[in-house]
Amino acid sequence: MNEKILHAPLLLDVAGLELSAAERRRLAHPRVGGLILFARNFESRAQLTALTAEAKSIRPDLLIAVDHEGGRVQRFRSDGFTQLPSMRALGELWMDDAMRATAAATACGFVLAAELRACGVDFSFTPVLDLDFGESGVIGSRSFHRDPRVVSLLAQALMQGLLMAGMGSCGKHFPGHGFVKADSHVDLPVDRRGLKAILAEDAKPYDWLALSLSAVMPAHVIYPKVDARPAGFSRRWLQDILRERLGFGGAIFSDDLGMQGARVLEGRAIGFGEAALTALQAGCDLLLLCNQSAIDEGAAIDALLAELEAAAADGRWTPEPDSESRRLDLLPQTVPLTWDELMRNPRYLAAIERLV
């Protein structure tokens, strides 16, 4: 196998509703393994389906992903897409009727995945496994519950729904973002609890769901009693704890390397290239670089791709075939229903009725 296709770690964004010539060129790059979509990439189902089809025509094995959780984090909300409940709404229902909440979570996962797949989207970064300590504004209603047992059981039900439509899952943000107030999009949060406390609560869902999760995304949070580096840059968190201690064997995504929490390493400001290589060396299989395609015509993306090529050539980074296998494992293995077929599908119609 050509070395250049041993490992395609980068998921990038595109600027608008259709691909530019530069974006088509980037999607064909051997280090690009995926595309992450945002609300700006959606005008209608027909347009979204055309966009994903064009991307797949360039790279059939491209992983097309989106943050589509429900509640306030749902990129596509019109032209037939179902408004999905927040995870907190499912957690609140659990307190009243646990079995109904479990069924609603499964329905939520199935509707989410089936609608996305009908439009050519392969993967959603869900479920959120952060605990709701009542402190984090950026997590807030995205969390199922304060109790890791409730989080795990509702997440498992939602993941079953995803799988029913042929979609994998991504637990986030390992080992937990819910305890800190700061938002890692604009700051670098610090959680000063010890490892024992974190493993006993925040990380419990990753322990219980290690065999079920397709992927995990670490938090851009520093836990100084465990490691001076944010979890996504930490071999201790990703290799020693997540892989070895908790037994997780799926794909590890970095969170967006454009976030402020990914731009500081041991008190020092770093660029995209160093952030990417540090994440890969720590144990991430896949890298997200978001919201860069419209800035300076995507110069930061091109620079990062050049840096990855240079690092592979001079030995600063060794592309991992196992990481590429994990990426390919996230691609759906079943043919999706078309939108028209979905609208007549008895399981889908029953799932709509079970939503909160």
Side-chain angles (χ1 to χ4, degrees):
M1 182 182 291
N2 188 313
E3 189 278 328
K4 285 183 176 293
I5 59 173
L6 280 181
H7 187 182
L10 184 62
L11 276 73
L12 49 75
D13 72 303
V14 295
L17 301 176
E18 55 188 24
L19 299 178
S20 68
E23 288 165 346
R24 287 192 289 272
R25 170 180 55 79
R26 290 186 192 110
L27 291 178
H29 193 286
R31 296 299 178 204
V32 172
L35 168 64
I36 180 168
L37 299 174
F38 292 89
R40 66 174 182 272
N41 304 123
F42 178 78
E43 181 179 69
S44 67
R45 286 187 289 106
Q47 168 272 321
L48 176 62
T49 304
L51 175 63
T52 57
E54 183 178 8
K56 289 284 191 178
S57 74
I58 298 167
R59 284 280 296 281
D61 71 344
L62 198 72
L63 181 70
I64 301 180
V66 67
D67 276 320
H68 201 82
E69 303 166 5
R72 61 187 170 89
V73 180
Q74 181 174 335
R75 304 307 187 198
F76 314 140
R77 296 174 175 269
S78 60
D79 197 19
F81 273 95
T82 302
Q83 177 61 59
L84 298 165
S86 69
M87 300 305 97
R88 175 180 285 169
L90 294 169
E92 290 172 345
L93 179 59
W94 174 279
M95 302 308 294
D96 181 56
D97 186 337
M99 296 310 296
R100 184 178 164 216
T102 301
T106 301
C108 183
F110 179 67
V111 170
L112 183 163
E115 291 182 353
L116 288 178
R117 291 208 59 210
C119 295
V121 179
D122 301 315
F123 191 75
S124 177
F125 294 105
T126 188
V128 172
L129 300 180
D130 299 311
L131 307 187
D132 184 7
F133 287 92
E135 296 291 330
S136 174
V138 71
I139 301 301
S141 63
R142 298 167 67 193
S143 170
F144 288 105
H145 205 272
R146 168 66 178 80
D147 188 330
R149 297 169 298 179
V150 177
V151 169
S152 299
L153 290 169
L154 287 175
Q156 181 77 72
L158 187 140
M159 290 156 56
Q160 180 184 5
L162 296 174
L163 193 59
M164 286 162 53
M167 183 177 286
S169 55
C170 182
K172 61 186 187 184
H173 306 83
F174 176 79
H177 200 311
F179 190 78
V180 291
K181 291 183 180 180
D183 179 353
S184 54
H185 291 84
V186 296
D187 202 350
L188 180 54
V190 177
D191 185 335
R192 300 192 181 279
R193 293 175 299 161
L195 179 60
K196 184 177 180 180
I198 295 169
L199 290 178
E201 291 202 281
D202 303 64
K204 265 300 177 186
Y206 297 92
D207 184 5
W208 290 326
L209 300 175
L211 295 177
S212 304
L213 285 164
S214 307
V216 164
M217 178 181 290
H220 289 320
V221 175
I222 295 177
Y223 310 85
K225 290 186 178 178
V226 182
D227 196 336
R229 295 184 169 193
F233 293 155
S234 166
R235 286 190 64 84
R236 185 164 190 216
W237 276 117
L238 301 186
Q239 300 285 3
D240 299 347
I241 298 173
L242 181 59
R243 291 255 189 245
E244 299 298 327
R245 185 164 183 166
L246 302 184
F248 175 68
I252 301 177
F253 284 89
S254 79
D255 205 344
D256 177 15
L257 297 178
M259 292 164 58
Q260 185 58 37
R263 306 303 301 281
V264 178
L265 185 64
E266 297 175 353
R268 176 175 56 84
I270 60 174
F272 293 135
E274 185 174 355
L277 292 173
T278 303
L280 289 167
Q281 290 158 359
C284 286
D285 301 297
L286 297 161
L287 307 169
L288 284 170
L289 183 60
C290 307
N291 301 313
Q292 299 299 317
S293 58
I295 301 173
D296 294 331
E297 300 181 335
I301 301 173
D302 290 331
L304 177 53
L305 289 170
E307 177 66 12
L308 289 173
E309 288 290 271
D314 66 20
R316 287 177 292 130
W317 167 53
T318 302
E320 291 289 345
D322 287 348
S323 290
E324 184 65 2
S325 294
R326 294 184 190 111
R327 182 186 75 84
L328 295 173
D329 284 345
L330 298 176
L331 292 167
Q333 301 301 307
T334 59
V335 177
L337 296 176
T338 66
W339 194 273
D340 288 345
E341 289 170 338
L342 194 60
M343 293 304 104
R344 301 190 299 269
N345 181 268
R347 178 176 278 180
Y348 172 80
L349 296 174
I352 292 290
E353 292 299 316
R354 288 178 178 267
L355 292 176
V356 177

